[in-house]
Amino acid sequence: MTAITLLWVGLPFFVGFSIYLLPQADRILAFGVSLASLAYATGIFLLSDPIELHLLDSFGVTLLVDDLSAFFILTNALVTAAVILYTWISPKSAFFCTQTIILHGSVNAALICADLISLYVALEVIGIAAFLLISYPRSDKTLWVALRYLFVSNTAMLFYLIGAILVYQATQSFAFVSLGMASVEAKALILLGLLTKGGIFIS
């Protein structure tokens, strides 16, 4: 299941860039990725034990897949599938499908992160894909909103990184389990970064 997990994480990014080579099959490829995530989440529910992967040990990159993350992966798959089905009756380009699938993959990656640094990387990819989707109509209004989101969210992620550094300073670890031993300031900085990245402060 470890190999399947790694293939599943990389599949949306591979398919997303492949759509540029096969734009006529953009919707079919994108829909296939959402079905793959649906099947993967279903398989996780059938497992008795969670899957824990330790990558780049010296950097502490950890991925954890359990029933809770499987539930959100399933939700992400259903939402993405609904979006792709909507594009079949609307004049969306292959670029839209590409960014939708990359966003899908980066959200999946964020859902299984078990440390602050890998989550930061996943959130940055989410931010880029979201920026491109927000600006997709390429009107003055959407470009302004997209640029404002990119600037504000990336600035806020600096607070997240400072909080992550404070967590490491106190616990010598970036793992989520270390947050319980971190200072209130570190938790507040991380929360501020995550809330802003989520766009709740931007109308």
Side-chain angles (χ1 to χ4, degrees):
M1 198 67 180
T2 298
I4 294 176
T5 298
L6 294 176
L7 288 173
W8 166 74
V9 170
L11 181 64
F13 303 99
F14 175 77
V15 172
F17 289 109
S18 297
I19 288 176
Y20 280 113
L21 302 177
L22 300 168
Q24 65 277 11
D26 55 353
R27 289 159 175 78
I28 295 174
L29 290 172
F31 190 69
V33 170
S34 62
L35 291 181
S37 290
L38 185 65
Y40 179 80
T42 303
I44 295 301
F45 284 125
L46 299 177
L47 295 178
S48 57
D49 298 318
I51 300 171
E52 188 170 359
L53 305 178
H54 296 278
L55 310 174
L56 303 175
D57 288 341
S58 59
F59 294 95
V61 176
T62 306
L63 303 179
L64 177 65
V65 189
D66 55 14
D67 287 346
L68 179 61
S69 56
F71 172 77
F72 288 107
I73 291 167
L74 180 65
T75 303
N76 188 31
L78 292 174
V79 171
T80 303
V83 171
I84 298 303
L85 289 174
Y86 170 76
T87 65
W88 251 290
I89 57 174
S90 65
K92 301 294 185 182
S93 66
F95 175 83
F96 179 86
C97 289
T98 295
Q99 298 308 321
T100 300
I101 288 305
I102 291 177
L103 179 63
H104 171 80
S106 53
V107 170
N108 281 343
L111 292 173
I112 64 173
C113 289
D115 67 274
L116 296 170
I117 297 303
S118 56
L119 179 60
Y120 172 79
V121 174
L123 289 175
E124 286 299 285
V125 179
I126 288 174
I128 294 172
F131 164 76
L132 293 173
L133 284 172
I134 293 170
S135 63
Y136 172 74
R138 290 178 173 78
S139 65
D140 291 342
K141 181 178 180 179
T142 57
L143 285 173
W144 163 244
V145 172
L147 287 171
R148 184 173 59 176
Y149 168 75
L150 188 66
F151 174 76
V152 173
S153 64
N154 284 351
T155 301
M157 288 306 286
L158 292 176
F159 294 105
Y160 175 93
L161 284 177
I162 295 172
I165 292 171
L166 292 176
V167 171
Y168 185 83
Q169 186 179 43
T171 66
Q172 303 303 306
S173 173
F174 288 113
F176 288 164
V177 293
S178 302
L179 286 170
M181 297 176 286
S183 65
V184 175
E185 293 81 3
K187 296 175 184 177
L189 287 169
I190 291 172
L191 182 61
L192 175 62
L194 292 175
L195 291 177
T196 306
K197 190 71 174 181
I200 69 166
F201 299 130
I202 300 178
S203 59

